[in-house]
Amino acid sequence: MKIVTDFFNKLCGELDKKYFPEVKYYRDNENTTKIHQTAELFNNGCLTYPKLIERLSKACNDSKENIHKIVSNHIESFGDFEYKP
């Protein structure tokens, strides 16, 4: 799997704007903190893609399919991997 340059900042920025536009600093809200921690763990290779989607969907209170659509915009290539929600 190949992610875009600056994956963490781009993904977190998009999720923050869409789901938590009223939060000014991500540490002010428990769910935005979870989003940032989860994205960082995936970016560092500590989480698998399905686990990333699962955790983000819980923090954003949205379906896995919708989160997958957002995250997949920041993935250059999935290689042989195929995500099945």
Side-chain angles (χ1 to χ4, degrees), residues 61-72:
N61 197 26
D62 201 353
S63 71
K64 292 180 183 179
E65 292 81 12
N66 290 340
I67 297 297
H68 169 63
K69 287 178 190 173
I70 294 169
V71 175
S72 64

Side-chain angles (χ1 to χ4, degrees), residues 1-60:
M1 185 176 293
K2 183 169 171 62
I3 58 177
V4 297
T5 304
D6 205 18
F7 171 82
F8 173 79
N9 289 328
K10 290 177 181 177
L11 177 62
C12 290
E14 185 173 347
L15 292 173
D16 287 345
K17 284 180 190 174
K18 180 171 176 130
Y19 294 102
F20 304 100
E22 72 284 349
V23 178
K24 293 185 189 252
Y25 181 65
Y26 79 95
R27 292 257 183 200
D28 292 343
N29 182 292
E30 183 180 341
N31 287 326
T32 56
T33 302
K34 287 178 184 178
I35 289 170
H36 286 249
Q37 289 173 339
T38 300
E40 185 174 6
L41 286 171
F42 176 76
N43 196 42
N44 293 336
C46 299
L47 281 181
T48 62
Y49 187 79
K51 201 65 165 165
L52 168 73
I53 299 300
E54 179 184 329
R55 287 186 180 187
L56 290 178
S57 70
K58 285 182 184 176
C60 294

